[in-house]
Amino acid sequence: MCQHQTQCPSAESADRESARLVAHHPEQGWSLLCNGVVLFEDTGELLPDGRAIAPHRPLEGQVMTAA
């Protein structure tokens, strides 16, 4: 699917969200990546095979700190 040099990560890889944007619609709350993954503004994902990945943003009140 990806025509970029170096190829974007596949939809099955752990770093799939780092693929390049193909379409971005912030007014509708979603973006399409080169690998066919649809990202939603709530951090949920829809994979090309139809599987849904639940939102995985930090819960409110959780603070991330660097080690």
Side-chain angles (χ1 to χ4, degrees):
M1 187 182 273
C2 178
Q3 302 297 315
H4 298 112
Q5 296 300 329
T6 310
Q7 273 198 321
C8 293
S10 72
E12 290 76 34
S13 66
D15 62 344
R16 65 181 157 258
E17 295 175 12
S18 64
R20 293 188 188 186
L21 284 173
V22 174
H24 182 60
H25 295 280
E27 71 283 358
Q28 296 175 356
W30 64 273
S31 298
L32 175 64
L33 301 180
C34 181
N35 57 10
V37 173
V38 177
L39 292 178
F40 296 98
E41 68 179 14
D42 68 354
T43 69
E45 302 172 21
L46 183 60
L47 303 182
D49 65 5
R51 288 181 291 150
I53 306 295
H56 48 275
R57 62 180 169 203
L59 297 175
E60 230 176 280
Q62 285 184 332
V63 176
M64 304 290 261
T65 58

